[in-house]
């Protein structure tokens, strides 16, 4: 692992990088996508079953957060950066992409414009200094990798695989590198800080989840799983074994069994932790004196594919 200093504040990884797949508005029950389990939602269930329900079943909207928006913006710039030819993927080029990518993001997700309104999460900052924060994260990226020495096979790659007698697994891999000898590296960017030693389990679970899906899709065991933490300039690498990914599959099946059991009982039990401070649903959580609304009619079938 390598380290560089960066002033960007610490962010819970789930909020910094995964909130983009939380809905901005209540989503209709009819959807063209079949029910599936992503690493983010599996991690939600492991953190708190009630949080999982609010996000994956009820699909309750969550207000945009400054941290999540910045993470999404940095991901967009890093994806776009690789459109440039080798030799032109410079820090300056990445910084030049920031304003345009921000405009594209706001156009696609108008809720991000709320961030800078008086009650928004970034109301105390002018847009320019907020973008400077994203620029610092991009600066950290260039201390960790040289994009002029990489030619990714894919960026923002949608992957999915159906487990026999289990859920459809899906996710989006930030970058997939394939070496001339066919060796696969799965890369994920994180705009937050790396976990402390001994607390890498959640991050590794997410990467092994992706590794498992890529392995099942392509029939090739990924050589490397790599997490690039832009918040503190660390890189976490793991070379997965077949055994580790089989264990991950067993764990995912266990999570899915627990989800279906909770759904059949209609009981998604809150599990309070220090991460509750970042939860957007305290007013509906009994742990905070709130009242949990009933599960919307048909949501378990539409969102989880369960006839309960
Ligand atoms: S406030 Fe905490 S216990 Fe309640 S739903 Fe959110 S994460 Fe779960």
């Amino acid at each position: 692992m390598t380290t560089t200093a960066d002033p960007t504040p610490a962010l819970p990884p789930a909020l910094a990088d995964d909130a983009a797949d939380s809905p901005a508005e209540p989503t209709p029950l009819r959807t063209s996508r079949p029910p599936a389990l992503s690493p983010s939602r599996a991690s939600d269930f492991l953190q708190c079953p009630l949080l999982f329900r609010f996000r994956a079943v009820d699909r309750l909207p969550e207000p945009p957060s400054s941290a999540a928006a910045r993470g999404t913006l940095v991901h967009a710039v890093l994806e776009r950066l690789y459109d440039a030819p080798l030799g032109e993927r410079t820090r300056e080029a990445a910084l030049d992409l920031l304003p345009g990518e921000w405009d594209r993001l706001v156009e696609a997700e108008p809720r991000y414009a709320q961030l800078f309104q008086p009650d928004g999460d970034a109301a105390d900052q002018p847009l320019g200094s907020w973008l400077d924060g994203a620029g610092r994260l991009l600066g950290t990226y260039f201390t960790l990798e040289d994009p002029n020495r990489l030619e990714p096979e894919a960026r923002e790659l949608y992957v999915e695989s159906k487990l026999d007698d289990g859920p459809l697994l899906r996710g989006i891999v930030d970058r997939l590198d394939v070496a001339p000898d066919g060796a696969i590296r799965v890369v994920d960017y994180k705009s937050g800080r790396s976990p402390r030693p001994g607390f890498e389990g959640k991050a590794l679970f997410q990467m092994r989840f992706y590794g498992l899906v890529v392995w099942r899709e392509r029939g090739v065991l990924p050589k490397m799983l790599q997490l690039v933490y832009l918040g503190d300039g660390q890189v976490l690498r793991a070379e997965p074994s077949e055994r580790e990914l089989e264990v991950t599959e067993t764990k995912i099946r266990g999570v899915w069994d627990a989800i279906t059991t909770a759904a059949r009982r209609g009981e998604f039990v809150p599990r309070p932790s220090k991460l509750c401070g970042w939860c957007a649903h305290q007013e509906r959580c009994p742990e905070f004196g709130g009242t949990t609304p009933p599960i919307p009619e048909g949501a378990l079938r539409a969102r989880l594919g369960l006839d309960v």
Side-chain angles (χ1 to χ4, degrees), residues 2 6-7 11 18 27 29 36 46 52 54-55 116 122-123 125 131 165 194 210-211 229 240 265 271 304:
T2 54
D6 191 281
L11 310 167
D18 299 336
T27 49
L29 287 175
L46 290 169
F52 168 85
F54 289 149
R55 284 184 166 170
F116 299 95
Q125 268 187 299
L131 289 174
D165 301 321
S194 59
Y210 287 136
Y229 287 93
R265 291 178 179 159
R271 185 178 298 146
L304 302 180

Side-chain angles (χ1 to χ4, degrees), residues 47-52 54 269-273 275-288:
Q47 178 190 323
C48 171
L50 185 57
L51 175 64
F52 168 85
F54 289 149
V269 179
R271 185 178 298 146
S273 70
L275 294 175
C276 291
W278 297 86
C279 179
H281 305 291
Q282 290 184 3
E283 66 184 29
R284 304 178 186 90
C285 176
E287 293 291 332
F288 287 82

Side-chain angles (χ1 to χ4, degrees), residues 250-262:
T250 301
K251 181 169 183 177
I252 293 168
R253 287 181 183 278
V255 171
W256 185 246
D257 285 349
I259 289 171
T260 55
T261 299

Side-chain angles (χ1 to χ4, degrees), residues 215 221 240-248 250:
W215 183 28
L221 183 75
S241 66
E242 291 191 7
R243 177 72 189 134
E244 283 172 339
L245 297 192
E246 286 165 357
V247 168
T248 299
T250 301

